[in-house]
Amino acid sequence: MNKKWFFILAFALFLAQCKNQSAGGKVPPPVDRAAADESKVILTITDVSLTNRDLKNFIKLQYSDVFKQKNNDKLLSRLFDVFCEQQVICFKANQDNIQVGDDEINEYLKEIQSRRQDLDIDREMIRNVLKVQKYLLARAYKDIEVSDNETAKFYEANLREFQKSEEIQLFQILVKDRENLLAIRSELLNQPSRFEEIARSKSLSPEAANGGAMGFFEKGMLPQEMEEVVFSLKVNEISPIVESPYGFHLFKITQKKKSRMLLLAAVKDEIRSKLLSAKLSAAYEEFSKELRDEVPVRIDQKNLYFTYIKSDSGVN
């Protein structure tokens, strides 16, 4: 199994926990993070104590965008839940003498810093993350796979999901002045092949540098006043002028794809990934529950550098 599945699962678990949070209700006022004592113990696993500093390093490493956010106690609470679960797994990995070499840390660090060069990452935190990954792969995920038969059954049971509507490949020119666009349209009616050239030089739309290419669209993806026009066009036909809050538009479609059923071969990898992710998530939940029942843990929520908000799902 590829190591990327651990990170997919961790993020999927995080999202699953977050989505159960209600949007309303009273939320306790956040504490002053700047004044928080980073050395306060927030989690104890037998004789191992972890502090706010450890939690911050964990978030910084695995969820760096969240680390920059302020006063988001609900989100931080869900990350603390994930942190607790992964620290228990790390404790078990240490008991089983799971080893992570410096070369593995360097490889992981190189991958992270290729995307985020500004991160100053603690090597021991990386070592622990990789221990968790190895332990899960060896204990929780070792027999998990998705067969071709499972993939085919999912496809047959969900055919409507793979029914594609009619699609058009759309190009546009956008300007602020209607009279200017009338002159452009007159020119294009005589030379429609110059559409992309003129889009590059005169269009104000974000995709002007690409010749006005907007990509493929199905019905329902565009404002109604645009959709009615563009879906009535023939291939390479220049549209009438369409007005919008952004200005005045000309459209051209270069390709039409009829409504069709995607073949199993085209979506096989997508289905396999979906089924594998579901299996990994279920295995993680079951494995984490077993460890919670096995490993003595004390959580000190009052010492957290934010106000802990309990999950509506009861996971904490």
Side-chain angles (χ1 to χ4, degrees):
M1 183 182 300
N2 193 295
K3 68 180 183 179
K4 71 179 181 180
W5 291 113
F6 168 74
F7 299 103
I8 292 173
L9 174 60
F11 189 62
L13 173 64
F14 159 61
L15 290 178
Q17 290 170 324
C18 287
K19 74 178 182 181
N20 289 322
Q21 301 307 300
S22 60
K26 293 184 178 180
V27 177
V31 299
D32 182 2
R33 288 161 172 73
D37 185 355
E38 291 194 345
S39 65
K40 284 184 177 179
V41 174
I42 57 175
L43 175 66
T44 304
I45 307 172
T46 63
D47 59 345
V48 177
S49 297
L50 295 126
T51 67
N52 279 311
R53 184 178 295 108
D54 296 312
L55 175 59
K56 287 183 176 181
N57 285 337
F58 169 82
I59 295 173
K60 184 178 180 181
L61 174 61
Q62 298 207 55
Y63 307 97
S64 57
D65 290 338
V66 177
F67 185 75
K68 297 177 181 179
Q69 296 186 26
K70 302 294 184 182
N71 299 340
N72 195 338
D73 291 347
K74 189 177 292 187
L75 186 58
L76 290 170
S77 297
R78 301 293 69 77
L79 288 178
F80 176 62
D81 294 339
V82 176
F83 172 77
C84 291
E85 289 180 343
Q86 293 199 15
Q87 294 309 313
V88 170
I89 296 171
C90 186
F91 176 82
K92 289 294 294 182
N94 286 329
Q95 280 192 331
D96 284 13
N97 199 31
I98 299 293
Q99 298 295 316
V100 172
D102 288 341
D103 56 336
E104 294 173 280
I105 294 175
N106 291 337
E107 181 183 354
Y108 183 92
L109 191 59
K110 183 178 179 180
E111 180 183 343
I112 292 293
Q113 291 182 333
S114 68
R115 293 181 277 111
R116 291 295 309 274
Q117 295 182 358
D118 58 323
L119 283 182
D120 180 20
I121 303 173
D122 180 79
R123 290 179 65 87
E124 285 308 304
M125 177 62 71
I126 295 176
R127 191 184 304 277
N128 289 339
V129 167
L130 294 177
K131 282 182 181 180
V132 169
Q133 173 190 316
K134 280 189 169 184
Y135 191 76
L136 286 171
L137 290 173
R139 302 293 190 274
Y141 303 156
K142 62 178 180 178
D143 297 322
I144 293 179
E145 59 182 27
V146 176
S147 68
D148 289 343
N149 186 47
E150 288 175 290
T151 302
K153 282 185 176 180
F154 183 91
Y155 176 80
E156 292 296 334
N158 298 275
L159 288 175
R160 293 182 65 180
E161 184 177 332
F162 305 107
Q163 177 69 45
K164 291 289 289 183
S165 301
E166 178 188 13
E167 290 181 304
I168 57 171
Q169 187 176 29
L170 190 61
F171 287 69
Q172 79 160 331
I173 294 172
L174 169 66
V175 300
K176 290 294 185 182
D177 181 67
R178 184 183 183 89
E179 294 302 317
N180 183 23
L181 196 57
L182 280 170
I184 292 173
R185 185 173 187 274
S186 178
E187 184 177 354
L188 287 174
L189 288 175
N190 294 320
Q191 295 180 292
S193 62
R194 294 192 61 211
F195 193 100
E196 294 177 43
E197 173 193 340
I198 293 175
R200 288 190 183 93
S201 62
K202 297 185 177 181
S203 180
L204 302 177
S205 64
E207 62 279 345
N210 295 323
M214 300 175 68
F216 282 91
F217 291 84
E218 299 177 6
K219 286 186 176 180
M221 297 174 66
L222 293 167
Q224 185 175 358
E225 65 272 15
M226 294 183 182
E227 183 174 286
E228 290 176 354
V229 171
V230 299
F231 275 91
S232 66
L233 294 174
K234 298 176 182 177
V235 172
N236 292 323
E237 180 183 0
I238 306 301
S239 76
I241 292 175
V242 179
E243 185 177 358
S244 80
Y246 303 102
F248 298 91
H249 307 253
L250 280 183
F251 296 103
K252 181 181 80 167
I253 63 171
T254 58
Q255 188 177 352
K256 283 189 175 184
K257 293 183 180 180
K258 294 182 179 179
S259 176
R260 64 204 184 280
M261 177 66 69
L262 296 177
L263 298 177
L264 174 58
V267 295
K268 186 176 181 179
D269 290 343
E270 175 189 337
I271 294 173
R272 188 184 299 277
S273 295
K274 180 182 291 188
L275 295 178
L276 183 58
S277 181
K279 286 188 175 186
L280 291 172
S281 183
Y284 182 91
E285 290 292 341
E286 182 178 353
F287 190 67
S288 294
K289 184 179 184 305
E290 291 175 1
L291 292 187
R292 285 197 297 270
D293 294 338
E294 177 185 341
V295 179
V297 171
R298 187 178 76 248
I299 297 174
D300 295 301
Q301 295 173 0
K302 66 181 185 300
N303 288 341
L304 287 166
Y305 70 95
F306 56 89
T307 301
Y308 183 85
I309 301 173
K310 187 175 181 179
S311 167
D312 290 345
S313 65
V315 177
N316 61 285

